[in-house]
Amino acid sequence: MGLRSGSARGRGKETPEKANARKRLGAVRRAQQITTYGVGSMVAIGDQSFLVSSLDSWRVWGDPEIHEPRLESRLRVDGFRLPPAANPPSGDGVRVRRFPTQYSCQGCGALKRYRDFNGAKGEGICGSCDRAVTPSRFILACSNGHLDEFPYWEWVHRRTDPTGGRDGEKHRLKLITTGRTASLRSIVIECGCGKKASMEGAFGGRAMKDLGITCPGGQPWLGTQTKVTGCTEIPRALQRGSSAAWFPTVRSSLSIPPWHQALMQLVIREKKMLLGEDAEWIERVARKKEWLDKYSVEEVLRAVRTLDSAAAELQPDPETPPALEASDVLREEEYRQLLIGAEETPENEHFVCVPPMSSQDDPRFPGIDRTMLVKRLREVRALQYFSRVDTPLPTDPKRRRAPLHHGAVNWLPAIEVIGEGVFLRLDPDRLTAWEAKTGPDSPAQRVAHLREQHTAVLKSRGVTGTAAESPVTARLVLLHTLAHALINEWSLDCGYPAASLRERLYVSDEMAGMLLYTASSDSAGSLGGVIAQGTPKKLAASLRAALDRVSWCSADPLCMESDAGGVDSLNLAACHACVLLPETSCEMNNTFLDRGLLVGTGATPGYFAAPTL
């Protein structure tokens, strides 16, 4: 993705030639535009810092479109667009804005706006001492996604009202680093009036509130003057490079029959012309597009009606967002298809799912009911919105979801990846019997603490009503922890690093499965290393090894006896030494984990701790 300076707003209509002439500042990979450097995030380019602008400022003429009808209906968009390449053949890539605008000089320590240094244009040099200037290390953000400059003036003067106003030589700010320690105490802000204050305590949760500073409601990625009035959230000071400054919410779906088949893809491209129309009109369009040379009228009508019904069925209720992504309606459809499978045919270009070849001598691992080898899959990942300060939750109120555009854009940035995986379903009878155990040490009671903590987190985020009740169950924690244990084991056995393997959970009263897969944006996908792990002998061996590995931890007994750990204390027996994974692998931010439910704790029976194992 090419990054270019300047804002598109207020410039009128630009031609591709004029747009390409604008200064190119740098580039990031297309996938990073979804996961790392998306709209509203900060990008460090050289010794300067920029903010990725909103979608309606992009100039992306002719960029490839991506279609995945189930995900389009779920997110209420007309389609997805691949982020532009580093050197786009058309358009000018992605616009960025300078943020933060406050810089400090490495020589004289002057702290002021970038444009006030009077250096040579674009060189980042202080006009007074001819030294380089660097962007402010500190920014202001709130959990509603707002972003603003750090209030250095208010921090130094601490509610005092200096005479002579803020301007003039008497009140010039400086940032001085004493170098005595590595703490914030060594960073001192000095004012020309004589007042000074170190940055110690700036990251405290109430630091800004104690100074009487309210959230300015800034949304600089939408425009420098775009602000939301009346924000009541307490603003927080963050490091400019902090991971809490930008949390993406990425939604994804697998391409499953019939959505990825050739005829359906033709219908999807012309859906605006076909949906809601009568049979006579649809036949006329199909004849004009020469579809009837290969398909019958009945097949075309069936494809249009299927797409039409899916658009209505998958529309989300804005008042009741899904409590867990693992139980969403998209996952229900995928779960059914993974159980049914799909043979390798010319029509099944993006989804091939078959049971493994087996014989009577192959071992059957107790507790695993079904195994399917997903030899080819296509996943579309789209950036829906982002948040700041707090990790996002599916049930977060709408105000916490920062927008990607002003509202005139009907598409989202997305990428498609090709890969392979193994689908596992737990034994329904064994799982039901395990969940039905009662008593103070039952699986349900062990997870009750997680439910209480999760409910408290939801309520602290402003979630109300039934949505504030935690949906966490022993089944979810069991499946999630098993997925982590297997990914760690497979990373040692199949040649893929753990960061390149991913989990996709299917959990509800009717679902109890997981898809462990690897996928890349390369059209060739992967090379069969994961598929090999799903054969009966290898799967049995890797399950035994994984369970043996998580039966102990170098942090035991503290880890196994822990009743609170991880983000927001939403883990039990789980730590970095046993089951935690890289962020790219886990879809739940390394929460809702407990290896005690897998192998038992001595008091609580583990799902795989039966004597038959």
Side-chain angles (χ1 to χ4, degrees):
M1 177 193 72
L3 303 176
R4 296 182 184 271
S5 61
S7 167
R9 299 182 62 81
R11 296 184 182 275
K13 186 175 181 180
E14 283 188 306
T15 64
E17 292 75 14
K18 289 184 178 180
N20 279 319
R22 298 187 60 78
K23 183 179 179 181
R24 183 176 182 275
L25 297 174
V28 298
R29 296 193 305 273
R30 278 175 161 168
Q32 289 180 307
Q33 180 67 3
I34 306 298
T35 60
T36 311
Y37 298 120
V39 172
S41 67
M42 281 169 283
V43 184
I45 302 175
D47 57 356
Q48 301 184 44
S49 176
F50 297 90
L51 189 71
V52 180
S53 294
S54 60
L55 295 181
D56 44 352
S57 72
W58 291 16
R59 293 293 182 266
V60 285
W61 300 284
D63 275 335
E65 291 188 5
I66 298 174
H67 288 290
E68 176 51 45
R70 298 192 309 126
L71 191 60
E72 291 169 21
S73 297
R74 199 73 178 123
L75 302 184
R76 294 184 175 179
V77 294
D78 290 341
F80 306 105
R81 193 164 293 178
L82 191 66
N87 294 295
S90 61
D92 67 337
V94 173
R95 297 295 178 88
V96 294
R97 305 170 187 271
R98 187 177 300 280
F99 188 89
T101 61
Q102 295 182 103
Y103 277 60
S104 62
C105 176
Q106 297 181 17
C108 62
L111 178 63
K112 52 188 175 182
R113 291 177 300 182
Y114 179 82
R115 65 185 183 186
D116 293 337
F117 278 98
N118 298 321
K121 186 176 180 180
E123 291 186 1
I125 300 297
C126 176
S128 300
C129 64
D130 204 31
R131 295 286 298 276
V133 299
T134 57
S136 167
R137 284 178 53 187
F138 308 99
I139 58 172
L140 207 63
C142 86
S143 56
N144 284 344
H146 303 142
L147 188 67
D148 225 295
E149 307 279 350
F150 185 85
Y152 289 106
W153 175 269
E154 289 80 0
W155 183 255
V156 171
H157 293 90
R158 308 286 176 135
R159 289 182 179 270
T160 61
D161 186 18
T163 59
R166 299 188 177 196
D167 298 326
E169 292 295 333
K170 185 179 180 181
H171 295 290
R172 300 289 187 186
L173 294 180
K174 287 187 177 183
L175 187 150
I176 306 298
T177 302
T178 63
R180 295 177 181 174
T181 68
S183 68
L184 293 176
R185 183 180 300 178
S186 293
I187 303 176
V188 178
I189 311 300
E190 297 182 354
C191 180
C193 67
K195 289 187 175 292
K196 63 175 63 176
S198 75
M199 293 298 296
E200 186 177 19
F203 294 155
R206 295 179 56 89
M208 298 299 112
K209 184 177 181 179
D210 292 342
L211 291 181
I213 297 173
T214 58
C215 178
Q219 295 180 316
W221 66 95
L222 299 178
T224 54
Q225 303 302 318
T226 305
K227 292 183 180 293
V228 175
T229 58
C231 179
T232 58
E233 291 294 318
I234 300 174
R236 295 282 301 272
L238 299 174
Q239 292 263 21
R240 175 167 46 85
S242 169
S243 60
W246 192 77
F247 291 111
T249 294
V250 177
R251 301 290 301 276
S252 68
S253 72
L254 302 182
S255 295
I256 58 176
W259 308 106
H260 71 280
Q261 294 173 350
L263 175 57
M264 183 61 76
Q265 291 298 312
L266 294 174
V267 171
I268 290 169
R269 295 190 187 100
E270 306 296 337
K271 65 179 181 179
K272 291 183 179 179
M273 187 184 302
L274 297 172
L275 294 187
E277 299 294 340
D278 57 30
E280 182 179 351
W281 172 261
I282 294 172
E283 181 179 354
R284 189 183 307 171
V285 172
R287 196 174 302 279
K288 182 179 180 181
K289 298 289 183 181
E290 299 181 349
W291 296 348
L292 300 185
D293 295 346
K294 188 175 182 180
Y295 305 100
S296 68
V297 175
E298 290 73 19
E299 289 176 320
V300 174
L301 288 173
R302 191 183 307 118
V304 174
R305 299 304 179 226
T306 301
L307 184 61
D308 210 353
S309 61
E313 180 183 348
L314 294 173
Q315 286 289 345
D317 182 351
E319 301 301 324
T320 56
L324 286 174
E325 193 79 11
S327 58
D328 190 69
V329 62
L330 292 177
R331 300 291 175 95
E332 293 175 1
E333 291 185 344
E334 294 172 9
Y335 184 75
R336 291 193 292 268
Q337 190 63 53
L338 285 164
L339 289 175
I340 296 171
E343 294 293 334
E344 188 168 2
T345 65
E347 282 290 299
N348 290 334
E349 180 185 0
H350 295 305
F351 186 81
V352 178
C353 179
V354 296
M357 298 288 291
S358 61
S359 66
Q360 293 182 349
D361 298 330
D362 288 332
R364 184 178 181 274
F365 199 84
I368 303 299
D369 172 67
R370 190 75 177 272
T371 303
M372 298 293 284
L373 306 182
V374 187
K375 293 186 175 181
R376 190 168 181 85
L377 62 84
R378 171 183 180 259
E379 181 188 18
V380 174
R381 303 170 185 167
L383 176 63
Q384 186 182 15
Y385 55 84
F386 66 89
S387 56
R388 304 191 195 277
V389 181
D390 296 321
T391 54
L393 298 174
T395 51
D396 278 342
K398 188 175 180 179
R399 67 176 183 274
R400 288 181 177 265
R401 304 176 180 183
L404 303 182
H405 51 79
H406 285 279
V409 176
N410 61 356
W411 56 272
L412 292 173
I415 58 171
E416 57 181 353
V417 293
I418 307 297
E420 63 177 18
V422 176
F423 173 75
L424 302 175
R425 183 178 73 169
L426 298 186
D427 185 334
D429 295 334
R430 181 177 177 134
L431 180 61
T432 301
W434 178 76
E435 291 176 315
K437 295 180 183 294
T438 58
D441 296 320
S442 66
Q445 284 298 314
R446 181 168 173 82
V447 176
H449 175 71
L450 284 184
R451 290 177 58 88
E452 294 173 2
Q453 181 61 22
H454 188 217
T455 297
V457 171
L458 293 175
K459 291 181 178 179
S460 70
R461 299 281 188 91
V463 182
T464 58
T466 57
E469 297 299 323
S470 172
V472 176
T473 61
R475 177 179 300 201
L476 170 69
V477 178
L478 169 67
L479 276 161
H480 192 201
T481 311
L482 178 60
H484 278 227
L486 277 175
I487 287 177
N488 276 328
E489 187 64 30
W490 288 1
S491 70
L492 300 174
D493 194 34
C494 68
Y496 289 100
S500 68
L501 296 172
R502 296 171 66 93
E503 65 180 7
R504 193 170 183 84
L505 303 179
Y506 301 88
V507 184
S508 70
D509 292 340
E510 293 76 32
M511 298 190 297
M514 68 183 79
L515 174 65
L516 307 181
Y517 66 105
T518 184
S520 69
S521 55
D522 185 271
S523 60
S526 50
L527 301 175
V530 176
I531 290 293
Q533 302 303 311
T535 58
K537 290 183 179 179
K538 283 198 172 184
L539 179 60
S542 61
L543 277 167
R544 288 192 179 92
L547 293 173
D548 181 65
R549 194 179 300 277
V550 300
S551 64
W552 66 276
C553 172
S554 60
D556 280 340
L558 295 178
C559 178
M560 183 59 82
E561 296 175 358
S562 172
D563 60 0
V567 178
D568 292 324
S569 298
L570 294 178
N571 284 336
L572 294 177
C575 70
H576 285 284
C578 50
V579 297
L580 298 193
L581 289 178
E583 291 181 2
T584 56
S585 301
C586 178
E587 62 178 2
M588 292 186 177
N589 198 36
N590 275 322
T591 57
F592 310 133
L593 296 165
D594 177 23
R595 58 192 177 91
L597 293 185
L598 287 178
V599 297
T601 63
T604 301
Y607 178 77
F608 291 104
T612 55
L613 183 60

